[in-house]
Amino acid sequence: MLRNSIVCLLCLVFLSSCTQKAKERKMVFRYNQAGGLETLDPAFAKNLSIMWGVHFIFNTLTEVDKELKVTPSLAQSWELSEDGLQYTFHIRRDVYFHDNEAFPGGKGRRMTAYDIQYSFDRLIDPLTASSGAWIFNDRVRSKQPFEAINDSTFLIHLNQPFRPLPEILSMPYCSVVPHEVVRKWGKDFRNHPCGTGPFRFQYWDEGNTLVLHKHPGYWEQDSSGQKLPYLDAVQVSFNDTKATEFLLFLQKKLDFVNGLDGSFKDLVLTKKGTLKPDFQDKIRLKKLVYLNTEYLGILVDKENAKLKGTPLLHPKVRLAINYAIDRNKIVTYFRNGVGIPATTGFIPKGMPGTEKRLATPYEYNPAKALQLLAEAGYPNGKGLAPIILQCPEANVDVCNFVATQLNDIGIPARVQVMQPGLLRQEMSRSQAPFFKAQWIADYPDAETYLAFFYSKFPAPPNYTRFNDPVFDHLYERSLQAEDDATRFHMYAQMDSLISSKAPVVPLFYDEMLHFTQNNISGFEENPLNIIDLKRVKVNK
C-alpha cells in the first residue's frame, strides 16, 4: 500500500514537472498598454492601442509591409477598371474564422467575399456609428458600393477615381468580421471579437489583462512552410503610466515597450537618440521613421471674426515664424535626438514619393525672419498684436521654447496650456488661431497629408481652413493620375505651395522608439507603427 502511494506520488510529481516544463516551453509575448483599451471592434479602431489589438485578431484585404509597400492579404490580387471606378479583388479560399459558439458546432467557418461585403457595409452604416466611416465617405457610390459576385470575387465601386484605395484597405477599420458573431453580441462584440487573424481572443479582464492565443488554423506560413504565428500567446497589461511600464521592462516583466517616458529620457538616451553605454548590452533599441508630423497650425480664414486684427493672416508674418524657430535644438534638447527637423514641407520623411521635394527649406534664420517682418510692415515686430500659442500640456516645453524664439525677433507670443480634448474641439470649431498639434498618417500615401488643406473638406481635417484654388485643382487631378510618378510630382507641387503660403509651421518629422528584450527575435513594424507579431519568437 505504501509502495503504491509512493509510486502515485512520484507520478504526480513527474506529471507536475512535465506540465510545468510544458508551460515553460510556451512562448508568450508581453507588453503594456498605458493608455488602456476601449474596444476590440475594428469599426472603432481610432487609436494605436485598438489598432494593435485589432491587427492581431483580424485580417484586411491588403497589408502594408515595413517598406510601406501594399501587399496582398485576404485579397490574393486585384485590378482596376480602365475608367478607375471599379476595383476587383480576388479573395483567398483557405481562410477560416476563429472557433466561436456563434457558428454551428462552434467551429470557425471559411471566410468569403460575402463577409467582406458585410464588414464594409457595417462600417458605413449610420447605425454602427463607426469612427472609420469617413474612409469611404464620398469615395464610393451611394447604391451598393460593395458587391460580392461569388465566394472569391469582391468589387468596390467608386464615385470617382481614387488611387490610394488599396492603401486605405489596409487600415484596421477595414478588418473582416463574421456576421454571426456580430449579431450574437451586438455592441458587446467590442469584448467578444472574432476574426481570421493570427491570434484569437481568449479573455479580457478590462483594466488588468488581455490574453490572446494563437489561431491554430491560421492561413499564413513562413518561407519554409511552417505555420504562423510562432508565438503561443500574447499578454497585454494595462499599467497606467509609461514610467511604470518602462520599470517593468527593465525588470524583464515585459518584452517590448513603445516609446519612452520623459522621466527616463536623459537616463537611457544620448542627445543623438541612441542607447547610453549602461543599457547597450541589456536591451535593444530600434529608432525608425514614424509617419507623423508635429506642427504649429495657423487659422487663415479671413472671414472668421476670431481673427480680426491678428497679424497671423499676413503671409510674411507666417513665413517669419518659420525662419525664427531652431528645429535642430527642439529635436536635440527636447527630444534627445528622436525626430528629424521638419524644414522641407508638411509631408513627413519616409512617405513614398517624397524623395524629390520642391518645397523651399526653412532653415533657422533670424535675420531672414526680421527681414520678412519689416516687409510685412512690422520692423523688429513693432506694431504686432500679441499672439497666443495654444498647446496640450505634453508639449508645453517645446511651445515655451517656440514662444521665446518668437519674442526674440519681436513677435509677442505666449503659451496657453489646454486639455487635449478641449483643444481639438477649438480646432474643429475654427476657434484656435495658433495651435500645436500633430498629424499621423492614416495610410501610406501622401494624400492623407494633403487632404488636410483641401478647401472642400471641413475641420477635421482642414483645421487651418486653408483655401487655394490652385491647390484644390492639383489635389483633384492627383486622385485621377494614372501612374505614381505623375501623382507624386503633383504631391510635391502641393507640398511646395503649402510651404510658400505657410498655414502650418512643421517642427519635426517623428521617429518611433521600440525597445525589446535581447531574447526577442522576428519583431517587425512599419512606419505607421503597426507592429507584426506573426514571426516573433521568445528565445530562452
Side-chain angles (χ1 to χ4, degrees):
M1 187 74 173
L2 178 63
R3 177 186 176 87
N4 288 341
S5 297
I6 292 172
V7 169
C8 288
L9 181 61
L10 288 173
C11 286
L12 285 171
V13 169
F14 176 74
L15 287 171
S16 175
S17 175
C18 290
T19 302
Q20 184 62 35
K21 287 180 179 178
K23 285 182 179 177
E24 290 173 358
R25 286 197 296 270
K26 297 290 185 184
M27 287 196 293
V28 180
F29 185 84
R30 304 157 302 164
Y31 74 92
N32 183 67
Q33 194 63 63
L37 183 65
E38 296 174 45
T39 180
L40 285 167
D41 184 340
F44 303 93
K46 62 183 179 181
N47 60 42
L48 202 59
S49 61
I50 305 171
M51 290 178 188
W52 283 0
V54 165
H55 184 65
F56 304 148
I57 298 171
F58 299 89
N59 287 126
T60 47
L61 282 176
T62 62
E63 278 196 334
V64 175
D65 66 15
K66 60 184 178 181
E67 306 297 332
L68 287 178
K69 294 178 181 176
V70 178
T71 60
S73 184
L74 294 179
Q76 289 181 300
S77 62
W78 57 89
E79 59 260 2
L80 179 62
S81 62
E82 287 188 11
D83 61 7
L85 297 179
Q86 178 180 292
Y87 277 88
T88 302
F89 295 89
H90 304 285
I91 310 304
R92 299 185 65 94
R93 300 178 63 87
D94 57 351
V95 179
Y96 287 80
F97 286 111
H98 307 153
D99 291 349
N100 191 280
E101 60 186 280
F103 297 126
K107 188 72 174 174
R109 63 166 175 81
R110 185 167 66 87
M111 186 276 306
T112 72
Y114 296 99
D115 295 302
I116 303 169
Q117 179 178 337
Y118 168 78
S119 301
F120 289 7
D121 283 340
R122 174 179 181 256
L123 186 65
I124 64 173
D125 187 341
L127 293 177
T128 304
S130 167
S131 54
W134 64 267
I135 66 174
F136 289 124
N137 283 351
D138 300 321
R139 288 174 177 158
V140 296
R141 72 185 188 189
S142 56
K143 292 185 178 179
Q144 200 178 6
F146 312 116
E147 185 179 6
I149 300 299
N150 51 45
D151 280 4
S152 58
T153 308
F154 176 69
L155 308 181
I156 296 182
H157 303 282
L158 302 176
N159 274 331
Q160 59 183 346
F162 186 73
R163 301 298 171 180
L165 186 73
E167 284 84 352
I168 276 188
L169 297 178
S170 71
M171 294 176 66
Y173 283 130
C174 297
S175 299
V176 177
V177 301
H179 64 87
E180 300 96 325
V181 182
V182 175
R183 287 170 182 164
K184 175 179 176 59
W185 293 106
K187 290 183 179 180
D188 282 340
F189 184 66
R190 63 174 290 279
N191 55 1
H192 292 85
C194 176
T196 60
F199 299 95
R200 60 181 175 82
F201 179 80
Q202 187 65 21
Y203 71 86
W204 180 14
D205 179 7
E206 294 196 37
N208 292 308
T209 306
L210 169 68
V211 175
L212 309 176
H213 285 180
K214 77 185 299 179
H215 173 23
Y218 189 59
W219 53 276
E220 280 192 270
Q221 300 177 344
D222 66 15
S223 57
S224 64
Q226 182 177 346
K227 292 181 69 173
L228 298 175
Y230 301 136
L231 290 171
D232 295 293
V234 177
Q235 180 177 314
V236 187
S237 57
F238 298 98
N239 291 287
D240 286 342
T241 68
K242 293 290 288 181
T244 301
E245 175 181 286
F246 199 74
L247 282 172
L248 290 170
F249 176 73
L250 292 179
Q251 295 167 10
K252 299 191 180 300
K253 294 179 180 178
L254 297 174
D255 298 302
F256 159 73
V257 167
N258 172 52
L260 186 65
D261 182 77
S263 60
F264 285 96
K265 188 174 58 177
D266 293 324
L267 174 69
V268 177
L269 299 179
T270 68
K271 293 300 182 185
K272 294 183 179 180
T274 59
L275 283 175
K276 285 189 171 179
D278 288 349
F279 293 92
Q280 288 177 0
D281 296 329
K282 298 176 182 176
I283 58 178
R284 294 190 189 131
L285 167 63
K286 289 171 73 175
K287 186 170 75 165
L288 307 115
V289 168
Y290 181 26
L291 296 183
N292 171 36
T293 298
E294 301 276 340
Y295 71 96
L296 307 178
I298 302 171
L299 197 57
V300 293
D301 181 5
K302 295 179 180 178
E303 304 301 318
N304 191 324
K306 182 95 173 179
L307 303 181
K308 186 176 181 180
T310 178
L312 293 172
L313 287 176
H314 200 302
K316 290 194 175 182
V317 172
R318 301 197 298 268
L319 293 174
I321 293 173
N322 269 280
Y323 283 110
I325 298 171
D326 191 336
R327 295 164 173 83
N328 286 298
K329 282 187 176 179
I330 290 175
V331 170
T332 301
Y333 296 109
F334 295 98
R335 301 274 304 172
N336 278 69
V338 180
I340 302 160
T343 60
T344 53
F346 190 63
I347 303 170
K349 181 179 173 64
M351 181 67 80
T354 58
E355 295 79 12
K356 296 180 180 178
R357 291 185 183 264
L358 301 176
T360 302
Y362 282 118
E363 301 293 347
Y364 176 54
N365 190 338
K368 179 71 172 177
L370 286 168
Q371 177 190 331
L372 286 162
L373 284 181
E375 292 174 4
Y378 304 106
N380 296 312
K382 186 177 180 180
L384 277 173
I387 59 175
I388 297 172
L389 174 55
Q390 296 172 297
C391 82
E393 188 172 358
N395 302 129
V396 69
D397 53 353
V398 170
C399 289
N400 279 329
F401 174 75
V402 167
T404 298
Q405 293 213 294
L406 296 184
N407 278 284
D408 285 346
I409 64 162
I411 299 178
R414 65 179 179 86
V415 173
Q416 179 187 11
V417 181
M418 300 182 69
Q419 291 293 331
L422 180 59
L423 178 55
R424 280 194 297 273
Q425 287 181 17
E426 295 282 282
M427 291 161 56
S428 298
R429 296 169 183 165
S430 298
Q431 295 296 300
F434 191 34
F435 56 89
K436 165 68 181 67
Q438 63 180 177
W439 192 257
I440 302 173
D442 292 305
Y443 41 91
D445 191 280
E447 186 273 340
T448 189
Y449 282 87
L450 298 168
F452 185 92
F453 304 101
Y454 184 51
S455 71
K456 296 179 184 178
F457 286 155
N462 191 355
Y463 289 118
T464 67
R465 308 310 302 150
F466 182 74
N467 186 339
D468 186 282
V470 175
F471 180 94
D472 288 353
H473 179 65
L474 281 168
Y475 178 82
E476 290 163 0
R477 283 180 55 210
S478 71
L479 299 182
Q480 302 183 37
E482 294 185 0
D483 60 87
D484 286 345
T486 301
R487 184 159 53 97
F488 290 161
H489 181 67
M490 291 180 184
Y491 286 173
Q493 287 177 291
M494 284 184 272
D495 202 28
S496 177
L497 190 153
I498 291 301
S499 288
S500 69
K501 304 284 187 178
V504 290
V505 182
L507 296 177
F508 59 89
Y509 312 127
D510 208 356
E511 292 179 303
M512 54 188 169
L513 299 178
H514 282 176
F515 298 88
T516 54
Q517 301 291 357
N518 287 331
N519 65 330
I520 300 298
S521 62
F523 183 90
E524 290 188 353
E525 60 280 283
N526 64 30
L528 295 165
N529 205 2
I530 298 298
I531 60 176
D532 188 356
L533 304 183
K534 291 194 295 283
R535 292 172 174 79
V536 166
K537 291 183 178 179
V538 182
N539 305 299
K540 299 298 182 184

